[in-house]
Amino acid sequence: MTVDVLPAQRPAFGRRHVHAVAGCYFVASFAALGLPPYLTQILPEFGAGAARWAGLLYVVPTVFGGLGAPLWGRLADRFGRKRLLLRAQLGLTLAFLLAGWADSLTTFTAALVLQGILGGTFAASNGYLGAALDGPSLSRALTLMQGSARAALVAAPIVVGSLSDWISPHRQYALLAVLPLTAALLLAALPEPARTEADGARTVTGTEPPPSPDDPELTTLQPPVAATPTTGAARPPVSLRTLYTLECAFVFSTVISFPYLIALVEDRIPQASSTLSGLLFALPHLCYLAGALAVHRAFQHRPLAGIALGFLLIALGLAGHGVADSLATLVAVRLVLGAGMTLGLVCLSVLAADCAEGRAPGGLFGSLEFFSKAGAVAAGVAAAAGSARFGPAAPVWTGGAAALLTVGATALLSLRTRWSR
């Protein structure tokens, strides 16, 4: 008598897994996003004159995070995306503990370097999702991850400021280290998405047919559709080089306005309170939280057009910052900028999901993170140099010019792609 042995079935990867990854990123990023704005309060604890290093230390985790991201991504493709995601969360835990208990500027700086090198939770999370999902399912997941980042960027500084009455921002690093540790424990229960290493294609085992791709409750790892002589293999609308360039340009155009926005608001509205300035800072990120899913539905099949429109709105919004002189006009231009940011972030997620098809996701998202960090560092340097010479409005004019230049290039690329099809 023979016994038929059925192949083992891999666990399905559903919405609850995506939400778990996004939620863990939100929790773990609190210290990374909420504490840097308070460096000017933290550094004086290390001695007179230490506060002058705030601008440099602000970008230290970004620089080292960008340098390490491609390596960690390749290691994830080789040794497992879940392992490297856990490594990132535990790395943040270690770095935050060291920062919270640092008793010298040297030790604190070393902690920030470790945060950049050992962290990288965003790229690691995207690489993990990229190994489990593809197509619209992946782009929706990446859109949700960006929403998690925006929510943390809005909430974390408020929470840190509220806790400052009881515990200094410096010691909050050690307190908030429990968050990435908790995220690591939660992520340990998630499955390891499998992918064939030969060509990066997903495989499904088992005898049950996969659910419909339109099933809102479940997204299964499905095999790639074989190319036929009549249809051919689907190609992403842009090359990796173009994707990396658009990512870098987008981050530069938007982040350049962040460091000196509060100073710009105080210059235009001298009577503005800190709360009002904070709300104006958060407004574009709130736009993303409110409209990202609707934008994804509208532009998931035409991401280049969405990116071109997004850069145009960013250019208009930033230029508006340069001339806005009242609360009403500042609110209006912040909303325009928020609409552009939402279009850009969502459509970049769609392009990244398209490019991830058939590629090792760890390496792709690690490299994408490198160019994102490069854009952020360049924006910080340009903002500091421009504001020092021309005042707090200089960064928004520089960012607007960069966005406007990208509009034309993206529009031409969109037309060329349409003609080639």
Side-chain angles (χ1 to χ4, degrees), residues 29-392:
S29 62
F30 244 75
L33 296 177
L35 286 167
Y38 294 88
L39 282 175
T40 52
Q41 298 180 22
I42 294 173
L43 295 181
E45 298 181 24
F46 301 123
R52 70 178 183 271
W53 298 104
L56 177 61
L57 293 183
Y58 192 94
V59 300
V60 162
T62 303
V63 171
F64 284 92
L67 293 175
L71 173 62
W72 290 124
R74 289 192 293 270
L75 290 176
D77 291 327
R78 182 174 181 181
F79 296 107
R81 289 92 188 180
K82 178 180 173 180
R83 291 180 182 177
L84 271 293
L85 178 54
L86 291 174
R87 186 258 344 137
Q89 299 285 7
L90 294 175
L92 279 186
T93 303
L94 176 63
F96 292 161
L97 284 173
L98 181 61
W101 295 111
D103 56 2
S104 69
L105 182 60
T106 300
T107 305
F108 186 77
T109 303
L112 296 182
V113 172
L114 285 178
Q115 178 186 329
I117 294 175
L118 300 181
T121 52
F122 190 73
S125 299
N126 287 346
Y128 177 85
L129 294 172
L133 306 170
D134 61 4
S137 298
L138 177 56
S139 63
R140 280 194 299 270
L142 298 180
T143 299
L144 181 62
M145 284 296 298
Q146 284 288 354
S148 180
R150 302 298 128 186
L153 193 60
V154 170
I158 298 173
V159 173
V160 171
S162 301
L163 291 175
S164 296
D165 292 335
W166 293 277
I167 181 172
S168 70
H170 176 204
R171 301 307 178 190
Q172 284 188 48
Y173 268 104
L175 174 66
L176 297 180
V178 72
L179 297 179
L181 179 60
T182 302
L185 295 175
L186 295 174
L187 290 169
L190 295 183
E192 172 68 65
R195 205 178 194 186
T196 59
E197 299 301 329
D199 59 4
R202 295 159 182 80
T203 59
V204 175
T205 58
T207 56
E208 295 295 325
S212 166
D214 296 326
D215 186 349
E217 294 296 330
L218 186 64
T219 303
T220 326
L221 309 181
Q222 301 184 29
V225 179
T228 66
T230 58
T231 62
R235 293 185 303 169
V238 298
S239 66
L240 283 181
R241 180 180 299 177
T242 301
L243 174 65
Y244 296 153
T245 302
L246 289 173
E247 176 75 16
C248 186
F250 175 83
V251 172
F252 178 88
S253 300
T254 53
V255 170
I256 195 172
S257 67
F258 290 179
Y260 297 95
L261 177 67
I262 302 301
L264 179 64
V265 172
E266 293 173 349
D267 180 65
R268 301 297 168 80
I269 312 177
Q271 70 275 17
S273 65
S274 298
T275 301
L276 177 59
S277 299
L279 288 173
L280 287 172
F281 181 88
L283 199 54
H285 308 295
L286 294 174
C287 288
Y288 182 92
L289 295 175
L293 293 180
V295 170
H296 183 275
R297 287 192 295 269
F299 287 93
Q300 62 178 318
H301 300 302
R302 42 180 180 169
L304 283 176
I307 287 178
L309 178 58
F311 272 111
L312 178 60
L313 291 175
I314 290 169
L316 292 174
L318 290 176
H321 283 67
V323 297
D325 57 0
S326 68
L327 177 60
T329 53
L330 277 173
V331 169
V333 297
R334 294 298 285 169
L335 289 173
V336 173
L337 177 63
M341 286 179 58
T342 303
L343 278 162
L345 287 168
V346 170
C347 293
L348 281 170
S349 294
V350 174
L351 289 180
D354 290 339
C355 289
E357 182 66 31
R359 290 187 172 97
L364 185 148
F365 287 107
S367 297
L368 191 63
E369 183 75 356
F370 170 82
F371 285 95
S372 175
K373 300 294 189 188
V377 172
V381 172
S387 63
R389 178 156 189 161
F390 302 106

